[in-house]
């Protein structure tokens, strides 16, 4: 093994300086870790536009606070760990945007700030930074504020307290809450275009699908995960639907309502916290879908995407261990 | 294309793999040139997989082209021969591109040499019989191949006679001629198929006779239509089949070729022989023909000198033992922005530290990349994106193997089958974090102890 890199100063010698380095000597184009993050931000653009259209300044405010706090938190915590700060990889920005999109537009500023610091500090850097974390940082931040500030994050928190100058969406309960508490069923059209109350990024199925499709085409997101989630929800909700044909809340409502599409396409597909192999990704996606349906049907919470993602995150190491692929040609024969 | 006559489940491709720009147009249309005889060659005594040869000649001794100068008693080995006529000098040690230090026999050239067109004619030209090969018995062919020091010319340099020797326990039904040449930039096999197809066909018929193969399939990637056409024409009158395979890296890897061409999965740790196949590079096949029909040793080979870092990319017929530096000089030298000189292709080749390193029997080319070509992104943290898993032709999990190697966790390395890796480099090629995956895996394979004691044994016993 003689592959040490010879670092000559190219400017001082006249002949071309060639280096010794390990192969392969070619790289596969522009897809870097940084581009993957930028791709996620591009994919989130339609969601952002719908969010601004529905919630106006409320969305812009939470978004600005979350992204700002996440970037500051990343800077502070990496400095504390005396590591090189890599804000250029945009991972902190992605965390901030996803956290903001999972909060209500009415969230107080301190909820957004504390959520961001919990996401970056506890969710990511406590584990060793980008690539090391077990749980999706944005979901850790959201879980933290959901427990710490119950009233701001519970059903009532989504409805604006003052009435004047508030976007229409913020004056009504979220579709999931309305269903659970009053049995009111939102129209599929509203769920599709996003003209309802809810967390900032989750309202429009259309925007999520559009952005998610971009991620899948770019192969930034693994296709097995969202497909697995949708399949599990579709099958379970479809089964429920068949058992009760009169139900107003149909499979379509389950698929397009709540944070399901946003979670399946943007949160669950976080590469760091999802399995490595195709088979593992299927298990992961199906698991999330099943847990979402379990929580929606049986628990006191109207929605379960966050908990489902966090729970499945926790078993990813186990899934990876279960799904070691059989190499082409079979496993290495043990020398008996 | 003959494939209708075969009952094959083979799809002509394998799953996963990558598609680098092939860059073959740089040298694909340059006919093979004979390099002028160098003033000196250094013939390494170990150019193959297996045991090193002992020198048979002393300093100041006269040798002629093709004379045997190194031999080994071992089963897996191949003799080496004088590649020019001249005087043996004091033996020295050379560092091969893969990092091995081997003894070499330097030979200083005499004035009288077989060179130029005469040499080309002697090695590849002239007529090659396609019929009446019955007079060469299988044993005679195997002996001739061994005596000629022929090893696989695709890169691994496995002694060819070992593959051809009849093995009662493992009968062979198919001989695969590998003309895939999936490494970017390299065009030596392509030129050989265009310029000496008859020698290749003759060698293949002889090899099939030796190993008892019933059918011969020439496997060529579909980005070389003229090679496919030429080989089809040359194979007329024989029952050889030409099969075009999908262009994909690493199609030329032995296991991938077998899978794509005849649909059989070579077992991990095994050889194509285990599934009844023998794979020969087209260059090896031409060498077999020459050894058997003309009784000549493997002294020269065709290789490609290419890349944007070299002024005049060429395909060359060179004596084994010539230095890489001389090849570079012959091709006009390096350009100003040359950044990396690689023995072999850019995917699996090794960079050269010193340019006086000798060319061996397994050298398929010399690639010089420029600063723009070379991957240059800094290494960042692994984000577990799984792209390495999506491209691995062997379905391994490179990220985990590299991690295990980094931390010396041999149990984890074994669980992820680290020793099955063939280091093709697809994983590192696509890695968005620019992690030197191949390097880490290679290191892990070298450092992994033979016997792994499970970690935390005491904990397990206590629990």
């Amino acid at each position: 093994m003689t592959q040490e890199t010879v670092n000559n100063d190219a400017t001082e010698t006249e002949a071309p300086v060639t280096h010794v380095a390990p192969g392969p000597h070619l790289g596969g184009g522009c897809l870097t870790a940084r581009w993957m993050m930028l791709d996620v931000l591009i994919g989130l653009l339609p969601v952002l536009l719908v969010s601004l259209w529905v919630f106006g300044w409320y969305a812009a405010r939470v978004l600005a606070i979350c992204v700002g706090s996440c970037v500051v938190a990343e800077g502070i915590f990496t400095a504390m760990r005396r590591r090189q700060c890599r804000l250029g990889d945009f991972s902190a920005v992605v965390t901030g945007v996803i956290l903001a999109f999972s909060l209500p537009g009415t969230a107080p500023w301190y909820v957004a700030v504390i959520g961001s610091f919990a996401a970056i500090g506890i969710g990511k850097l406590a584990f060793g930074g980008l690539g090391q974390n077990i749980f999706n940082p944005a979901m850790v931040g959201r879980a933290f504020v959901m427990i710490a500030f119950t009233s701001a994050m519970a059903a009532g928190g989504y409805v604006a307290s003052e009435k004047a100058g508030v976007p229409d969406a913020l004056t009504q309960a979220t579709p999931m809450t309305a269903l659970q508490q009053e049995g009111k069923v939102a129209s599929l059209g509203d769920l599709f275009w996003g003209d309802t109350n809810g967390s900032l990024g989750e309202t429009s199925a259309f925007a999520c699908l559009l952005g998610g499709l971009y991620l899948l085409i770019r192969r930034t997101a693994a296709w097995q995960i969202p497909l697995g989630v949708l399949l599990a929800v579709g099958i379970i909700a479809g089964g429920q639907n068949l058992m009760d044909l009169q139900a107003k809340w149909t499979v379509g409502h389950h698929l397009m309502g709540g944070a399901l599409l946003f979670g399946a396409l943007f949160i669950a597909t976080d590469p760091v916290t999802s399995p490595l192999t195709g088979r593992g990704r299927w298990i992961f996606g199906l698991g999330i879908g099943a847990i979402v349906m379990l929580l929606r049907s049986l628990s006191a919470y109207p929605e379960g995407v966050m908990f489902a993602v966090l729970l499945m995150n926790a078993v990813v190491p186990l899934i990876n261990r279960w799904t070691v692929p059989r190499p082409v040609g079979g496993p290495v024969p043990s020398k008996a | 294309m003959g494939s209708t006559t075969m009952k094959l489940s083979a799809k002509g491709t394998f799953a996963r793999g990558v598609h680098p720009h092939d860059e073959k147009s740089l040298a694909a249309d340059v006919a093979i040139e004979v390099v002028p005889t160098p003033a000196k060659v250094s013939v390494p005594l170990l150019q193959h997989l297996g045991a090193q040869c002992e020198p048979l000649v002393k300093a100041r001794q006269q040798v002629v082209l093709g004379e045997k100068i190194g031999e080994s008693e071992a089963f897996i080995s191949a003799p080496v021969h004088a590649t020019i006529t001249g005087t043996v000098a004091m033996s020295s040690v050379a560092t091969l591109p893969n990092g091995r230090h081997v003894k070499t026999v330097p030979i200083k050239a005499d004035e009288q040499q077989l060179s130029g067109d005469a040499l080309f004619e002697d090695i590849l030209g002239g007529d090659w019989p396609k019929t009446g090969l019955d007079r060469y018995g299988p044993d005679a062919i195997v002996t001739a191949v061994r005596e000629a020091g022929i090893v696989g010319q695709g890169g691994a340099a496995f002694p060819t006679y070992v593959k051809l020797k009849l093995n009662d326990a493992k009968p062979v039904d198919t001989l695969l001629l590998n003309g895939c040449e999936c490494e970017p930039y390299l065009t030596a096999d392509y030129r050989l198929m265009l310029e000496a197809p008859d020698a290749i066909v003759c060698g293949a018929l002889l090899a099939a006779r030796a190993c008892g193969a019933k059918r011969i399939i020439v496997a060529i990637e579909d980005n070389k239509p003229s090679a496919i056409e030429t080989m089809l024409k040359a194979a007329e009158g024989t029952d050889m089949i030409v099969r075009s395979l999908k262009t994909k890296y690493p199609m030329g890897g032995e296991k991938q070729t077998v899978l794509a061409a005849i649909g059989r999965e070579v077992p991990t740790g095994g050889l194509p022989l285990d599934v009844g196949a023998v794979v020969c590079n087209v260059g090896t096949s031409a060498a077999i023909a020459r050894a058997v029909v003309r009784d000549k040793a493997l002294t020269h080979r065709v290789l490609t000198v290419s890349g944007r870092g070299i002024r005049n990319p060429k395909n060359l017929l060179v004596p084994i033992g010539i230095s890489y530096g001389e090849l570079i000089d012959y091709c006009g030298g390096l350009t100003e922005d040359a950044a990396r000189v690689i023995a072999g292709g850019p995917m699996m080749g090794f960079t050269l530290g010193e340019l006086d390193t000798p060319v061996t029997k397994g050298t398929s080319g010399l690639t010089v990349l420029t600063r723009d070509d070379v991957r240059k992104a800094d290494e960042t943290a692994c984000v577990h994106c799984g792209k390495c898993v999506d491209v691995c032709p062997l379905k391994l999990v490179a990220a985990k193997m590299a991690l295990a190697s980094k931390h010396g966790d041999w149990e984890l390395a074994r669980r992820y089958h680290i020793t099955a890796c063939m280091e093709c480099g697809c994983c590192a090629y696509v890695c968005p974090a620019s992690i030197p995956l191949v390097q880490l895996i290679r290191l892990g394979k070298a450092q992994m102890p033979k016997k792994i004691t499970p970690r935390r044994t005491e904990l397990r016993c206590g629990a």
Side-chain angles (χ1 to χ4, degrees), chain B residues 152-186:
Chain B
Q153 296 193 4
F158 189 76
T160 302
Y161 94 97
V162 180
K163 292 197 220 174
L164 297 184
K165 222 172 156 75
L166 272 176
N167 184 336
D168 292 334
K170 290 169 182 170
V172 170
D173 63 4
T174 307
L175 174 76
L176 263 175
L177 274 198
N178 192 341
C180 292
E181 200 164 48
C182 59
E183 276 270 5
Y185 294 96
L186 302 187

Side-chain angles (χ1 to χ4, degrees), chain B residues 414-438:
Chain B
R414 196 200 46 194
R415 199 189 310 141
Y416 281 94
H417 314 286
I418 193 170
T419 47
C421 172
M422 60 170 183
E423 302 167 16
C424 66
C426 290
C427 50
Y429 175 77
V430 296
C431 179
S434 299
I435 298 170
L437 291 161
V438 177

Side-chain angles (χ1 to χ4, degrees), chain B residues 366-434:
Chain B
L366 175 71
T367 312
V368 186
L369 298 181
T370 62
R371 261 171 254 140
D372 293 339
D373 298 331
V374 174
R375 61 177 305 141
K376 44 194 163 286
D378 285 338
E379 184 183 341
T380 53
C382 173
V383 291
H384 301 267
C385 61
K387 298 232 181 288
C388 51
V389 186
D390 296 339
V391 297
C392 180
L394 293 177
K395 219 174 172 186
L396 301 169
V397 185
K400 289 281 185 189
M401 298 193 293
L403 186 79
S405 160
K406 209 173 192 171
H407 298 299
D409 185 344
W410 306 126
E411 208 189 323
L412 186 71
R414 196 200 46 194
R415 199 189 310 141
Y416 281 94
H417 314 286
I418 193 170
T419 47
C421 172
M422 60 170 183
E423 302 167 16
C424 66
C426 290
C427 50
Y429 175 77
V430 296
C431 179
S434 299

Side-chain angles (χ1 to χ4, degrees), chain B residues 293-371:
Chain B
V293 176
R294 298 189 179 169
D295 197 20
K296 294 280 173 65
L298 175 61
T299 54
H300 290 68
R301 67 158 294 149
V302 180
L303 55 76
T304 305
V305 181
S306 186
R308 294 206 168 70
I310 199 105
R311 287 191 198 279
N312 310 313
K314 284 175 199 267
N315 298 293
L316 302 172
L317 182 69
V318 305
I320 284 148
I322 190 173
S323 76
Y324 286 102
E326 274 172 277
L327 299 182
I328 292 174
D329 292 343
Y330 183 72
C331 293
L334 302 178
T335 60
E336 270 154 31
D337 56 350
R340 221 172 267 183
V341 181
I342 304 158
M347 294 298 286
M348 282 188 83
F350 291 90
T351 38
L352 287 172
E354 298 159 12
L355 294 183
D356 59 354
T357 308
V359 165
T360 63
K361 295 171 184 173
T363 306
S364 46
L366 175 71
T367 312
V368 186
L369 298 181
T370 62
R371 261 171 254 140

Side-chain angles (χ1 to χ4, degrees), chain A:
Chain A
M1 299 290 131
T2 57
Q3 284 99 3
E4 80 264 35
T5 310
V6 185
N7 276 316
N8 291 325
D9 196 354
T11 51
E12 281 176 19
T13 37
E14 283 180 6
V17 174
T18 60
H19 290 174
V20 175
H25 307 283
L26 300 174
C30 66
L31 194 81
T32 57
R34 180 182 176 178
W35 250 109
M36 292 179 72
M37 296 298 169
L38 279 174
D39 263 349
V40 176
L41 291 177
I42 295 171
L44 282 166
L45 268 180
V47 181
L48 174 72
L49 292 176
V50 170
S51 177
L52 288 176
W53 171 58
V54 175
F55 298 105
W57 283 108
Y58 284 80
R61 186 184 62 100
V62 175
L63 205 66
I65 296 173
C66 281
V67 173
S69 322
C70 277
V71 170
V72 170
E74 175 98 6
I76 293 174
F77 289 127
T78 39
M80 278 167 66
R81 293 175 68 230
R82 289 174 218 288
R83 294 291 165 89
Q84 196 194 348
C85 188
R86 288 187 185 272
L87 282 175
D89 65 19
F90 289 108
S91 66
V93 179
V94 169
T95 303
V97 174
I98 292 189
L99 176 66
F101 281 161
S102 66
L103 293 178
T106 47
W109 66 270
Y110 52 87
V111 168
V113 170
I114 290 172
S116 303
F117 271 72
I120 297 292
I122 303 172
K124 189 164 89 173
L125 290 171
F127 286 95
L130 180 65
Q132 309 291 317
N133 47 304
I134 295 173
F135 298 103
N136 187 313
M139 289 303 99
V140 170
R142 190 181 192 274
F144 189 89
V145 292
M146 187 163 172
I147 293 162
F149 305 98
T150 322
S151 61
M153 296 294 296
Y158 277 82
V159 183
S161 47
E162 71 266 42
K163 292 289 174 220
V166 167
D168 281 349
L170 282 176
T171 56
Q172 40 192 305
T174 69
M176 302 300 280
T177 311
L179 169 78
Q180 199 179 35
Q181 294 180 350
E182 303 158 35
K184 266 198 337 213
V185 174
S187 82
L188 280 177
D190 284 349
L191 292 179
F192 186 73
W193 297 111
D195 198 11
T196 61
N197 197 358
S199 300
L200 293 174
E202 73 181 26
T203 57
S204 169
F206 171 71
C208 290
L209 286 172
L210 200 67
L213 208 62
Y214 170 78
L215 291 189
L216 294 182
I217 289 169
R218 289 277 299 170
R219 293 183 179 242
T220 300
W223 58 272
Q224 296 97 332
I225 297 172
L227 211 63
V229 175
L230 298 185
L231 213 65
V233 170
I235 290 171
I236 298 174
Q240 288 180 347
N241 225 187
L242 283 179
M243 284 192 282
D244 178 10
L245 287 171
Q246 306 306 313
K248 298 245 172 51
W249 196 262
T250 60
V251 193
H253 289 91
H254 268 302
L255 287 173
M256 297 204 294
L260 190 84
L261 283 171
F262 183 71
L265 289 160
F266 295 101
I267 302 176
T269 52
D270 169 23
V272 178
T273 54
S274 58
L276 276 167
T277 61
R279 212 147 52 91
R281 290 170 187 156
W282 274 116
I283 299 176
F284 182 73
L286 291 168
I288 289 179
I291 297 177
V292 166
M293 284 311 294
L294 192 77
L295 294 178
R296 279 186 182 179
S297 317
L298 303 176
S299 81
Y301 289 104
E303 176 59 306
V305 172
M306 177 189 77
F307 287 120
V309 170
L310 287 174
L311 278 170
M312 287 310 287
N313 282 164
V315 291
V316 162
L318 207 60
I319 297 179
N320 274 336
R321 215 186 153 125
W322 285 337
T323 58
V324 180
R326 170 190 176 276
V328 174
V332 179
S334 57
K335 288 186 189 87

Side-chain angles (χ1 to χ4, degrees), chain B residues 22-167:
Chain B
D22 72 3
E23 306 287 359
K24 295 201 192 258
S25 58
L26 286 176
D29 298 326
V30 188
I32 299 171
E33 267 177 56
V34 181
V35 170
T37 310
K40 192 191 105 181
V41 295
S42 304
V43 183
L45 286 167
L46 178 69
Q47 307 184 26
H48 46 262
L49 219 71
Q52 180 159 343
C53 293
E54 288 303 317
L56 298 175
V57 290
K58 292 200 183 73
R60 290 191 293 283
Q61 191 176 327
Q62 283 287 316
V63 289
V64 293
L65 172 68
E67 186 178 334
K68 197 193 276 183
I69 57 172
E71 171 71 290
S72 162
E73 300 276 287
F75 178 61
I76 299 192
S77 187
V80 294
H81 300 80
T83 59
I84 56 174
T85 301
T87 317
V88 175
M90 286 293 282
S91 82
S92 63
V93 171
T95 308
L96 296 185
N98 63 9
R100 273 189 91 149
H101 303 288
V102 297
K103 245 163 96 173
T104 64
V105 176
I107 304 171
K108 289 205 177 86
D110 282 356
E111 282 182 14
Q112 280 296 321
Q113 295 287 349
L114 187 63
S115 61
D117 290 344
L119 184 70
F120 186 87
E121 203 58 25
D122 182 64
I123 292 176
L124 297 168
D127 288 331
W128 297 96
K130 287 178 204 167
T131 50
L133 295 172
D134 311 351
R135 63 193 146 110
Y136 305 105
D139 288 341
I141 297 171
V142 170
T143 313
V145 167
R146 182 185 154 101
E147 283 306 301
I150 296 174
V151 302
Q153 296 193 4
F158 189 76
T160 302
Y161 94 97
V162 180
K163 292 197 220 174
L164 297 184
K165 222 172 156 75
L166 272 176
N167 184 336

